[in-house]
Amino acid sequence: MTHSAHPTPLEARSSGPLSGKARVPGDKSISHRALILGALAVGETRISGLLEGEDVLNTAKAMRALGAKVERTGDFAWSVRGVGVAGFAQPEMPLDFGNSGTGCRLVMGAVAGCPITAVFDGDASLRSRPMRRILDPLELMGARTGASGEGGRLPLTLHGARDPLPILYRTPVASAQIKSAVLLAGLAAPGVTTVIETEASRDHTELMMKHFGAQIVSASEGVHGRKIALTGQPELHGAEVVVPADPSSAAFPVVAALIVEGSDIVLSDVMTNPLRTGLLTTLREMGASIEESHVRGDAGEPMAQLRVRASKLRGVEVPPERAPSMIDEYLVLAVAAGFAEGTTIMRGLQELRVKESDRLEATAAMLRVNGVKVEISGNDLIVEGKGHVPGGGLVATHMDHRIAMSALVMGLASDKPVKVDDTAFIATSFPDFIPMMRGLGAEFS
């Protein structure tokens, strides 16, 4: 299955300059974590700016099924009354995470520290994604995997640990999901749970755990790594969380404004956590005009207003150590690279092969069908930019929201329109993408 039951194709064509001000949805990573930690806290957590996409709503449903009281109190405003660390109740039905690998893997960690059994499931895309590297450390902590699909895939049954053990775990790859699952399980373990990363991944879990009252220390390890130590069995307390705008969602209007001649847009409250700004760093190296102002922060997460103006881009080489800070943004960066003058080399993209689709192959296919010369060499993506993109292709999205949005962005500046086979899955992360982009002047039909 490569598209939804009722596919909704869409075509993007060259438009006039994009202009105006917008706020992209709340950050998905922060939204998931706010719901989960709110459910593991004592008292009430109030969340504003929550992303109300399908992925996050499925996490909210899972928290309800596990015993927390979760209510929507207004537009993007939610209340969570938690059950305390290790307080989850056994769910009566399977926990269905739809398309969300993040929600599923983080909740596995939270459930692993509780003496309950839960069945995890999702859609066809999520069922195809590997879970073993999440399960391995959780089993070291005392959890057990029951029935599962081939290779530890969904649907699977997870038996949480009655007496979870603190561990020291070195992550095999830079993955915030692996690290977060271990730390969430470690909340219920006595003593100190330690995670060591060779390459630092997103630190949203650490920052938010601290915001909820956990004792957690993060220090440099080696050249690019981190060592995170969590003292287990804290009493987390309900907290106020303001969710900043998602930089991964902002990536699409940012690149659109850079490649559509004459564009000048402003995006408000975009998260500028240094471990999430690899795309902005890379685009600026390519010659992009991106200005930051109105800097502020909440729950340890910085945010700023971005002003983005159309720019002449040039090819660059993106080092592999930057990948963890922009892993979801390489698809739309590849679009920008197609419009740049010269060759862009993106190194160390092996993580793209285990996302909603094989994003490395799908990205190359998206560019090729629209006349861009592209090559995959090992885990590197090489794009030959000519300053313009011929377009005219039909892009297969493979049930992947980011491929769909990247292709639509490409069509806004390509010589001929670009069509995508299915836009239904955009709703998993950015429900208002199409109307928001139209509001800035984009032409879709």
Side-chain angles (χ1 to χ4, degrees):
M1 184 178 180
T2 58
H3 53 71
S4 55
H6 303 286
T8 53
L10 196 67
E11 184 176 85
R13 64 176 60 86
S14 182
S15 66
L18 303 179
S19 63
K21 185 173 182 178
R23 189 188 195 278
V24 302
D27 183 77
K28 185 158 65 165
S29 297
I30 300 299
S31 296
H32 283 304
R33 287 160 174 81
L35 289 168
I36 294 167
L37 287 169
L40 290 171
V42 174
E44 183 181 15
T45 292
R46 291 187 175 274
I47 308 167
S48 59
L50 188 89
L51 170 62
E52 294 179 344
E54 292 173 9
D55 285 4
V56 173
L57 296 180
N58 283 329
T59 294
K61 291 175 187 174
M63 294 304 98
R64 285 194 194 101
L66 291 163
K69 186 177 181 183
V70 183
E71 296 179 321
R72 186 177 190 268
T73 57
D75 289 346
F76 316 110
W78 290 68
S79 167
V80 183
R81 290 194 175 273
V83 296
V85 169
F88 281 160
Q90 185 150 315
E92 296 178 2
M93 301 288 288
L95 304 176
D96 186 345
F97 290 90
N99 193 241
S100 178
T102 300
C104 181
R105 290 168 174 151
L106 267 57
V107 176
M108 281 182 180
V111 165
C114 302
I116 63 171
T117 296
V119 177
F120 289 75
D121 204 355
D123 66 11
S125 173
L126 189 57
R127 283 186 172 194
S128 72
R129 297 173 67 181
M131 297 293 166
R132 178 41 56 190
R133 63 186 187 183
I134 299 291
L135 299 172
D136 286 344
L138 299 182
E139 288 173 351
L140 292 175
M141 302 177 81
R144 290 186 301 108
T145 306
S148 68
E150 183 181 353
R153 286 172 165 79
L154 304 185
L156 69 80
T157 301
L158 185 65
H159 304 280
R162 291 205 167 275
D163 297 299
L165 303 170
I167 61 170
L168 186 153
Y169 191 71
R170 295 180 182 270
T171 58
V173 294
S175 168
Q177 293 179 0
I178 298 174
K179 172 179 65 177
S180 298
V182 173
L183 293 174
L184 285 163
L187 285 171
V192 177
T193 293
T194 304
V195 178
I196 296 176
E197 302 181 296
T198 305
E199 298 280 346
S201 67
R202 301 173 178 185
D203 60 354
H204 305 313
T205 298
E206 299 96 298
L207 293 172
M208 193 169 290
M209 281 186 170
K210 191 174 292 186
H211 184 62
F212 276 83
Q215 183 179 334
I216 187 166
V217 178
S218 180
S220 297
E221 179 82 5
V223 180
H224 301 294
R226 302 295 291 174
K227 179 179 181 180
I228 305 102
L230 168 70
T231 301
Q233 299 183 333
E235 181 170 304
L236 302 182
H237 51 77
E240 300 280 335
V241 178
V242 177
V243 180
D246 187 348
S248 297
S249 294
F252 301 102
V254 164
V255 170
L258 292 173
I259 64 176
V260 176
E261 189 174 349
S263 295
D264 186 346
I265 69 168
V266 173
L267 302 174
S268 59
D269 297 336
V270 178
M271 180 199 290
T272 53
N273 182 312
L275 292 171
R276 293 288 299 280
T277 55
L279 176 69
L280 298 183
T281 299
T282 303
L283 290 173
R284 286 176 174 133
E285 290 173 355
M286 296 173 77
S289 174
I290 305 173
E291 300 173 4
E292 294 182 17
S293 63
H294 300 80
V295 179
R296 62 191 185 95
D298 183 84
E301 298 287 356
M303 61 187 87
Q305 177 173 283
L306 303 182
R307 183 181 182 187
V308 187
R309 285 175 278 193
S311 305
K312 295 292 185 184
L313 303 178
R314 57 182 176 272
V316 296
E317 182 169 339
V318 189
E321 58 268 19
R322 196 173 290 170
S325 69
M326 57 181 295
I327 196 62
D328 288 328
E329 286 81 75
Y330 279 106
L331 289 77
V332 77
L333 174 62
V335 170
F339 287 91
E341 291 283 357
T343 302
T344 295
I345 304 173
M346 294 163 256
R347 299 200 181 277
L349 307 190
Q350 58 269 22
E351 278 298 289
L352 289 184
R353 295 191 183 275
V354 293
K355 291 289 186 176
E356 282 83 337
S357 61
D358 182 338
R359 282 183 172 164
L360 193 52
E361 292 288 351
T363 300
M366 171 184 70
L367 294 173
R368 284 193 194 106
V369 78
N370 285 287
V372 179
K373 187 177 179 182
V374 58
E375 176 187 350
I376 296 173
S377 176
N379 292 313
D380 301 341
L381 186 67
I382 303 166
V383 180
E384 302 284 350
K386 300 295 185 184
H388 72 102
V389 170
L394 171 63
V395 175
T397 55
H398 304 286
M399 300 168 64
D400 192 319
H401 52 124
R402 297 197 192 280
I403 294 172
M405 289 185 281
S406 297
L408 291 172
V409 165
M410 180 165 50
L412 296 177
S414 55
D415 301 342
K416 296 178 182 178
V418 172
K419 189 171 184 178
V420 300
D421 65 350
D422 193 3
T423 59
F425 282 85
I426 290 175
T428 65
S429 67
F430 201 156
D432 294 327
F433 171 74
I434 292 167
M436 191 206 80
M437 291 300 295
R438 281 179 171 147
L440 294 172
E443 292 192 18
F444 300 137
S445 62

